[in-house]
Amino acid sequence: MLGSIEAGGTKFVCAIGNENYQIQDQITIPTTTPQETIKKVIDYFKGYPVDAISIASFGPIEIRKTAHNYGYITTTPKKGWQDTNIVGMLKQEINVPIFFTTDVNGSAYGEYVMTLLANEDINSLLYYTIGTGVGGGAIIAGKLVGSLGHPEMGHVKVKRHPDDLKFKGICPFHADCLEGLVAGPTFEARLGKKGAEVPISHPVWDIMSYYVAQAALQATLLFRPDKIVFGGGVTSEAFLQKVRRDFAQMLNGYLQVPDLNRYITMPEILDNGSATVGNFALAKRILKAID
């Protein structure tokens, strides 16, 4: 049996799965304090013994096993969670192998595994989430990208849209990085309303697709992946139609890529389940590595 912890700033989703990545049980725990939240996680897994656990966590996190603070959530803006030893707290109570990665890496791996199960000819995949924040994970030749640390694809710089030059951006570190320009809260910062209240015909969606298409272009030029997946609350098929349009204009025929409807896509796994499937697969992988 395999354990999954999707550690989010709002909630922790814990699940038990079998070796075929099918959910056997699942629980949602509100994210309050580290002590209260992690105690509930530990209590849950004590009731459902597993052979290995994978954690896909909000970050930044420390993934280098040689680092003194490996297994920590580090400089997160989430109040009260800075320098939280999430892996260590779990290890004290649950003596099983634990894989630790970012939430977007977990989602990327889940989407990658689904392509394998569907017998798609996929060797590499990038996953972006666009929600409260923006992050990305990359799978190249079946392996997660990142050794010095995990990628921070949401904080790359992009060229400003000519109709958006007065908007400063909302990222507390970089102002107008990708996250600062397209994350969910930018709707309220620009328009004073939530994204769900803004029709897809509003010009702000064209501004945002201009930035997201640049992210897809950067990913294409840097990694030449087989597929780029966009998830998160801001993303929709109607929005991705705009992104594909802008991406094609920016690429301008420079490289050959697959049909854009298959190349730039929504997640295959429904109901935000990509990270859970990814965690099951990563927990299974760590068990195989031990064997």
Side-chain angles (χ1 to χ4, degrees):
M1 299 300 291
L2 307 168
S4 166
I5 302 172
E6 185 181 357
T10 304
K11 61 185 178 182
F12 275 47
V13 179
C14 301
I16 310 296
N18 60 27
E19 61 181 10
N20 296 318
Y21 315 133
Q22 297 168 326
I23 295 175
Q24 307 297 296
D25 193 77
Q26 186 169 293
I27 188 174
T28 298
I29 298 168
T31 305
T32 55
T33 65
Q35 292 73 24
E36 182 179 25
T37 305
I38 295 173
K39 182 183 184 302
K40 291 180 179 179
V41 171
I42 290 168
D43 290 344
Y44 174 73
F45 282 105
K46 282 185 174 180
Y48 293 92
V50 293
D51 299 295
I53 294 173
S54 179
I55 306 169
S57 175
F58 70 94
I61 63 175
E62 180 55 77
I63 62 171
R64 296 172 296 171
K65 291 188 176 180
T66 56
H68 72 279
N69 59 341
Y70 166 74
Y72 279 61
I73 297 171
T74 58
T75 55
T76 178
K78 177 69 176 175
K79 186 177 180 181
W81 284 81
Q82 298 87 355
D83 298 316
T84 295
N85 185 5
I86 183 170
V87 172
M89 293 171 74
L90 286 166
K91 279 278 193 182
Q92 286 182 354
E93 301 289 338
I94 304 172
N95 187 27
V96 298
I98 295 177
F99 190 92
F100 186 51
T101 192
T102 62
D103 46 5
V104 282
N105 272 350
S107 294
Y109 205 76
E111 289 295 313
Y112 172 73
V113 166
M114 286 303 295
T115 65
L116 298 182
L117 294 175
N119 294 317
E120 292 185 47
D121 187 19
I122 298 292
N123 190 49
S124 58
L125 177 148
L126 268 72
Y127 180 96
Y128 286 88
T129 186
I130 307 176
T132 305
V134 178
I139 310 293
I140 305 296
K143 296 182 179 180
L144 294 168
V145 170
S147 55
L148 184 61
H150 53 80
E152 286 286 359
M153 298 181 196
H155 292 273
V156 299
K157 285 289 186 177
V158 290
K159 182 180 178 180
R160 297 300 300 269
H161 191 286
D163 296 335
D164 196 43
L165 299 179
K166 292 183 180 180
F167 181 60
K168 294 181 180 180
I170 63 168
C171 175
F173 293 94
H174 312 116
D176 62 349
C177 62
L178 180 66
E179 178 173 291
L181 294 172
V182 304
T186 61
F187 285 100
E188 292 189 66
R190 284 189 177 97
L191 305 173
K193 59 179 70 175
K194 295 185 180 298
E197 302 171 4
V198 182
I200 196 67
S201 59
H202 193 287
V204 73
W205 286 105
D206 293 305
I207 290 171
M208 293 177 65
S209 71
Y210 180 77
Y211 297 135
V212 174
Q214 288 183 62
L217 181 66
Q218 291 171 355
T220 298
L221 298 175
L222 285 168
F223 298 106
R224 296 306 308 275
D226 295 314
K227 192 174 189 179
I228 304 174
V229 180
F230 286 96
V234 171
T235 309
S236 67
E237 181 56 35
F239 178 56
L240 287 191
Q241 289 179 11
K242 294 178 179 290
V243 173
R244 295 182 191 111
R245 174 202 65 197
D246 292 344
F247 173 84
Q249 291 175 352
M250 293 174 187
L251 186 62
N252 196 29
Y254 179 62
L255 298 172
Q256 285 190 340
V257 295
D259 176 88
L260 291 186
N261 290 312
R262 293 187 295 108
Y263 183 61
I264 296 174
T265 74
M266 294 280 289
E268 294 285 342
I269 303 169
L270 302 178
D271 301 322
N272 296 314
S274 302
T276 297
V277 173
N279 275 335
F280 290 156
L282 289 166
K284 185 175 179 179
R285 192 176 85 172
I286 199 173
L287 279 176
K288 286 185 176 180
I290 293 171
D291 292 341

